[in-house]
Amino acid sequence: MAQKKQVDEMDPHTDGIPMGAVWERDDPGTQETTHETHSAVPRDADEQPEENTSRPEGETEGTPTEGVIVPKGTPDDAVSPKKALLQDVNTKLGASLAAWHTYALLACHKRWQTIEAYVQDPDLYEEIVTEARAEIRREKAAVAKRLDKAKIRKDHAQIEVLSEELDELKKRAPSAMKMDALTLKARGGRLARQLAVPAAVLFGPVAAGIGVGAWWALLAYPVAWGWLAAQGHAMAVADGTVTVTEEPAERARELVGQASVPGDVPRDVVVGATEAENLILGHLSEWETRTEGRGLEGVVPGTPTVDALGIRVVLTTSGKLTLELLKKKLPVVRAALSVPRDVRTDLHPGEVGDQAVLRIRTRSPERDMAWNPRRDGIGVDADTGKPVTLPKGRKLIAGTSGSGKSVLLRVVMAEAMHSGEPTVVVYIDGKGEESALWRGKMRIAVEPEDIHQVLSELARESLDRRRIMQDKQIATWVPTKSRPRIVVVVDEGAEVMALDDPEDGLDIMAPLRSLGRTGRSRCIDLVWATQKPTIGAGIDSQINGVMDVRAVLRTAGATETRQVLASKWTAHELPEFGHAYVKGTGRGEEQAPVQVWDLSDDDQVTALPVRPVWAYAPDPQAPEVEQGQAPEGELPPVLAAALLLSEGADGVTGHDVAAACGLDLLDTQKALRAAGVKAGRFTNGSGTQVRGYERVALEEAASRYSV
C-alpha cells in the first residue's frame, strides 16, 4: 500500500528544486521504490530551473529521473507557431475551395435547369403545329393566287387543276404522328446544341492528350472549374444569397429579414435563391399546415425548383379537384404561400392528368430588348424568350398611361414600314405629339380637317379596290407598289372620337367604322390605340367588335380588361412597363405576357429611313361621276352652286350645298375637294363661327377654270 511521506531533504535528481509531496508505492515485481510526483509547485519563481533534462540512458522505470516542468494549462500536444500558422492556412484554403466548389455546383445546376427548360419547353409542340398549319395556309394562298391569275386569263384547264389542288389543301391537316416526330427531332436538336460545348470541354482535353500528346490541354479542367465557380459566385451575389444548404433558425431569420415567428422562416436556405424565394420555399415545406381549412385538401406539392423564371413546383391533385377548379383557387394558394402581390403566379397542365405545374414568377430573365429592323414581331414571350408576331389585319392596342402603349405602337408602325410586302402607313394622331417624329416616313393627319381629308381619300381608295376586285373576280386584295397595303393607325382613339361632328361637316367615325368592317379583305388595316379601353369612351363599339387581334398592356382596372379581353384575363395586374397580353393569335390567358421591344428612344425613330408618303390616286378606269371631277376647263356644278349660295356672305355650309345639288354631304365634300376647295370655318350672318367653305376659297378655286 502506498504511503505518503514528507521529503525533508533534497533529492539529488531534482537539481535542488523542492518537489513537494512524494507518493511511495510497493511494486510487487521488485523491491525498489517508485516515486511519483503529484505536484511540483516551486516556492519562488526565482528558483525555477533554467534547463531541464530527460532521463539518462539506462535508467530503469523505478529509478527517479529528471523531468520537464510544463506550465499549468498547456496542452500535451502543443505545436510550434510555424506549424500552427500552416494549419490555419490549410484550413482557410480548404474552406475557400469548398465554398468555390459550391459556387461551381450552383452554376452547373442553374445551367442545367435552363437547358432542361429549353429542351422540355411545353409550347414547342404547339409551335410546330402552328408552323405546319401556317405552311398549309401559305400553300393555299399561293395556289389561290395562281388560280386568280388563271381566271383572269380564262385558262379553263389550269383553273380546273388549281381548283382541285386548292380543295385538297383545304382538307389537309397536320398529322399527329408527324408532329410528334418533328417535336422529338426539335428537342433532340436543342439538347445536342446545348450539350455541344460541355461535351467538348469534357472530352476534348482527353482526346488532345491521347491523340497528339498535348497533355497541357488537361489544364482546361481547372480553367473550366474556375469559370463555373466565378459564374456561380456572381449568381449568388446577384441574388443576395449564401452558399450553404442549412442554417440555424436564428440565422435563417436574419437572412430573410423576418421576425422570429414560428413557421415564417424556411428551415433550409436554398443555394442561389433570393430571400423572398427562400421564404416561399419554407412555406411550401409547411404546405399541410398552411393550407389546412382552405379547401386544398388532396393537393400535394412535389419538390420545388428555382430557375431563371422563379419557383416551379408540381402539384398532384386527387379527389374532385381538377386543373380548372385549382385555377379558381389560385388566390388561396397565393395567400397560403404569402406570395407578394406584384409576383405573378399561374398554373399549367402537368405531364399527367392529375398534375398541375405551379409557377411563382419571382424572376424576370435579363434580355436585350432594344428594337432594330432585324427583330421579329412586337416582342418576345416573357417565359420562353421566343418572338411573338401579330398577324396582318385589324388590331386593338390598349394600355393605361405609363404602361408602354406609345412604345408598342411605335414597334407596330416600324414593323409595318419594314414589311416584306408593299406597305404604307397613315398615322392619325389625336393628341398631335408623337407624329412629329414620323414626318417624311408616312402620311400624317393631326388637325380635324386633315383627318377628315385623309379619311375621305381612304374611303375612295376602298371603293376603288372593291370595284377592281369585282372586275377581277377575286375575294382578297393583293398589295402592289401602286396600291400597297395601307396600315391606318389611330393614336388615342378617345381624342379622335371627340372630333366627330357630322352636323358640322366633320364626319370622322363613319368612314372609320366602314374601314373597320370592310378594310381587311381590301388590305386596309385599321389599328386602334387608346388609353381608355372602355366601350364608348375610348373605343367605338362597332370598331371594338371587329378587332381581330388585341394587344393589351396594363389597364386601370378589371372592368377595362374585361371589355377588351375577357373576364379570365388579368391585364390590370401586369406589374411591369412594356408587358402586354395578346389575344387573337392563339395565345391564351394562361400564357405568359409578351415583353415588348424597346423603341422608346426618339432619336432611333427619327433615324428611320424616309419612305414614300401615301396619297390617293384616282383610278383612271373609274367612272367620272365617282371621281367627282368636272371636265377640264369647265366649272364643276357643285362649285358653281357653292358660289351662287355664298353670294353676299362670307361662306356657305356643306349641308346647304348638298341640299341644293341633291347630293349627300360626303359626295358634296369630295366634289369640292376635287375642285380644289378646302373646308374651313367662316362667320355667318349672326356672327357665329360655323364649319363650311369660305367665299374667298370658292372664288380662288373658280379662278382656275375658264368659264
Side-chain angles (χ1 to χ4, degrees):
M1 182 174 182
Q3 296 179 353
K4 177 181 177 184
K5 69 176 182 177
Q6 183 69 32
V7 181
D8 296 326
E9 56 182 353
M10 298 299 179
D11 192 317
H13 295 284
T14 61
D15 291 334
I17 299 175
M19 301 303 292
V22 178
W23 292 88
E24 279 188 354
R25 65 179 175 82
D26 296 332
D27 190 340
T30 63
Q31 296 299 324
E32 299 180 16
T33 302
T34 303
H35 299 274
E36 292 183 354
T37 302
H38 176 65
S39 64
V41 183
R43 295 171 184 167
D44 197 325
D46 294 333
E47 298 177 5
Q48 291 281 357
E50 296 182 359
E51 185 178 10
N52 296 316
T53 58
S54 59
R55 181 193 307 168
E57 230 182 307
E59 290 282 357
T60 63
E61 185 180 354
T63 305
T65 60
E66 298 178 359
V68 179
I69 299 176
V70 181
K72 185 179 180 180
T74 302
D76 296 339
D77 56 346
V79 296
S80 65
K82 291 183 178 180
K83 187 175 181 181
L85 178 61
L86 182 60
Q87 289 179 352
D88 184 56
V89 170
N90 289 337
T91 302
K92 290 182 178 180
L93 181 60
S96 178
L97 289 174
W100 284 97
H101 183 65
T102 304
Y103 288 133
L105 292 178
L106 170 62
C108 290
H109 178 67
K110 291 273 190 177
R111 292 188 174 280
W112 176 250
Q113 284 184 335
T114 304
I115 292 173
E116 186 178 17
Y118 177 62
V119 174
Q120 297 294 336
D121 182 8
D123 297 331
L124 181 60
Y125 181 83
E126 293 298 329
E127 291 177 4
I128 291 176
V129 173
T130 301
E131 179 59 29
R133 291 173 178 169
E135 180 63 28
I136 295 174
R137 287 195 298 270
R138 285 193 292 268
E139 292 182 14
K140 288 194 292 187
V143 173
K145 186 175 180 180
R146 290 162 53 197
L147 180 59
D148 291 337
K149 292 181 178 179
K151 289 179 179 179
I152 294 174
R153 297 193 307 268
K154 297 182 179 180
D155 187 347
H156 299 289
Q158 191 71 7
I159 291 173
E160 184 178 355
V161 172
L162 292 174
S163 298
E164 292 178 359
E165 185 176 351
L166 187 59
D167 291 337
E168 291 178 0
L169 286 173
K170 289 179 179 179
K171 298 176 183 177
R172 185 188 299 179
S175 168
M177 184 177 295
K178 182 179 179 181
M179 294 303 100
D180 290 339
L182 290 176
T183 303
L184 182 61
K185 179 181 178 182
R187 294 191 193 281
R190 286 185 173 190
L191 183 62
R193 289 193 298 272
Q194 293 296 322
L195 295 182
V197 174
V201 173
L202 284 174
F203 303 110
V206 176
I210 296 175
V212 298
W215 299 106
W216 49 265
L218 297 176
L219 294 175
Y221 292 129
V223 171
W225 178 87
W227 182 80
L228 285 172
Q231 292 289 311
H233 182 264
M235 294 174 186
V237 171
D239 294 334
T241 55
V242 293
T243 56
V244 297
T245 55
E246 293 186 0
E247 290 281 347
E250 292 77 16
R251 175 57 180 156
R253 292 189 182 95
E254 267 183 24
L255 291 173
V256 297
Q258 301 293 324
S260 299
V261 180
D264 279 350
V265 180
R267 293 188 297 270
D268 296 335
V269 178
V270 178
V271 175
T274 64
E275 297 173 0
E277 288 169 344
N278 273 318
L279 183 62
I280 296 173
L281 292 170
H283 293 164
L284 270 170
S285 66
E286 300 167 353
W287 175 269
E288 293 184 3
T289 303
R290 301 187 69 88
T291 59
E292 186 176 358
R294 295 178 182 261
L296 295 173
E297 292 77 9
V299 179
V300 180
T303 303
T305 58
V306 181
D307 55 23
L309 302 175
I311 299 173
R312 180 184 185 275
V313 60
V314 176
L315 303 179
T316 303
T317 62
S318 61
K320 297 181 179 180
L321 274 179
T322 62
L323 177 61
E324 292 301 321
L325 293 175
L326 195 57
K327 284 183 178 180
K328 296 180 180 179
K329 292 183 175 291
L330 192 55
V332 179
V333 175
R334 290 175 57 91
L337 300 179
S338 299
V339 178
R341 195 180 75 169
D342 59 346
V343 174
R344 188 168 61 91
T345 57
D346 48 47
L347 280 167
H348 301 286
E351 294 294 332
V352 294
D354 62 343
Q355 288 184 349
V357 179
L358 172 64
R359 273 285 189 183
I360 306 175
R361 303 181 183 279
T362 54
R363 304 185 182 191
S364 296
E366 294 186 3
R367 300 187 179 100
D368 177 16
M369 294 304 299
W371 180 88
N372 63 64
R374 296 181 298 276
R375 299 284 199 186
D376 293 331
I378 62 168
V380 298
D381 185 291
D383 283 357
T384 64
K386 296 178 180 178
V388 176
T389 303
L390 301 185
K392 295 179 174 63
R394 298 165 293 205
K395 301 178 183 68
L396 171 65
I397 297 175
T400 188
S401 178
S403 62
K405 176 183 67 67
S406 297
V407 175
L408 173 55
L409 197 58
R410 287 182 180 185
V411 173
V412 170
M413 292 192 292
E415 184 185 22
M417 291 174 57
H418 291 83
S419 176
E421 67 178 2
T423 305
V424 295
V425 179
V426 174
Y427 187 20
I428 299 175
D429 187 5
K431 294 189 296 184
E433 300 169 355
E434 180 78 11
S435 55
L437 302 174
W438 300 90
R439 294 197 182 278
K441 303 172 178 61
M442 58 186 62
R443 176 78 176 270
I444 294 173
V446 178
E447 300 300 327
E449 293 79 9
D450 296 334
I451 295 174
H452 186 268
Q453 172 70 25
V454 74
L455 289 176
S456 299
E457 294 183 28
L458 287 167
R460 293 291 305 278
E461 177 70 20
S462 179
L463 291 175
D464 286 352
R465 294 189 180 191
R466 183 188 68 176
R467 183 185 54 77
I468 295 172
M469 291 166 64
Q470 289 177 345
D471 293 343
K472 294 184 176 180
Q473 297 182 345
I474 58 176
T476 303
W477 184 262
V478 179
T480 62
K481 289 185 178 180
S482 59
R483 291 188 181 273
R485 178 182 294 274
I486 304 174
V487 179
V488 183
V489 177
V490 178
D491 191 2
E492 195 41 62
E495 297 296 328
V496 175
M497 291 172 64
L499 297 175
D500 186 45
D501 190 4
E503 295 183 358
D504 201 14
L506 198 62
D507 193 0
I508 290 178
M509 292 309 300
L512 281 174
R513 294 187 188 109
S514 178
L515 288 177
R517 291 190 300 266
T518 64
R520 180 179 179 181
S521 60
R522 303 171 191 179
C523 289
I524 303 178
D525 302 336
L526 179 62
V527 178
W528 188 278
T530 180
Q531 293 183 7
K532 302 175 182 178
T534 51
I535 307 302
I539 179 172
D540 182 77
S541 59
Q542 295 187 34
I543 292 177
N544 179 65
V546 299
M547 289 291 111
D548 302 314
V549 177
R550 299 160 187 264
V552 182
L553 300 104
R554 187 179 68 251
T555 60
T559 301
E560 293 186 350
T561 300
R562 185 165 53 253
Q563 291 208 8
V564 293
L565 289 174
S567 58
K568 294 183 179 181
W569 297 78
T570 56
H572 52 284
E573 296 180 1
L574 284 172
E576 299 177 73
F577 169 88
H579 283 66
Y581 282 117
V582 174
K583 182 180 181 181
T585 62
R587 299 180 65 86
E589 70 275 3
E590 75 282 354
Q591 289 182 277
V594 177
Q595 189 173 357
V596 180
W597 297 124
D598 183 8
L599 189 52
S600 58
D601 187 358
D602 293 349
D603 293 337
Q604 192 175 5
V605 176
T606 56
L608 292 172
V610 175
R611 301 292 297 271
V613 176
W614 179 84
Y616 172 68
D619 184 5
Q621 299 180 1
E624 193 170 292
V625 175
E626 184 180 342
Q627 295 182 47
Q629 294 186 5
E632 185 177 355
E634 296 183 8
L635 193 66
V638 177
L639 178 56
L643 283 169
L644 183 63
L645 293 171
S646 64
E647 284 184 0
D650 291 335
V652 64
T653 65
H655 289 283
D656 293 339
V657 179
C661 297
L663 301 173
D664 62 21
L665 179 61
L666 187 59
D667 288 339
T668 301
Q669 293 169 342
K670 291 177 181 177
L672 288 173
R673 281 196 304 273
V677 185
K678 188 176 181 180
R681 290 186 176 274
F682 67 94
T683 305
N684 61 11
S686 61
T688 305
Q689 286 281 328
V690 296
R691 182 174 176 78
Y693 300 92
E694 293 182 292
R695 173 71 181 185
V696 175
L698 293 170
E699 291 175 347
E700 181 182 352
S703 66
R704 295 193 292 268
Y705 292 83
S706 57
V707 183

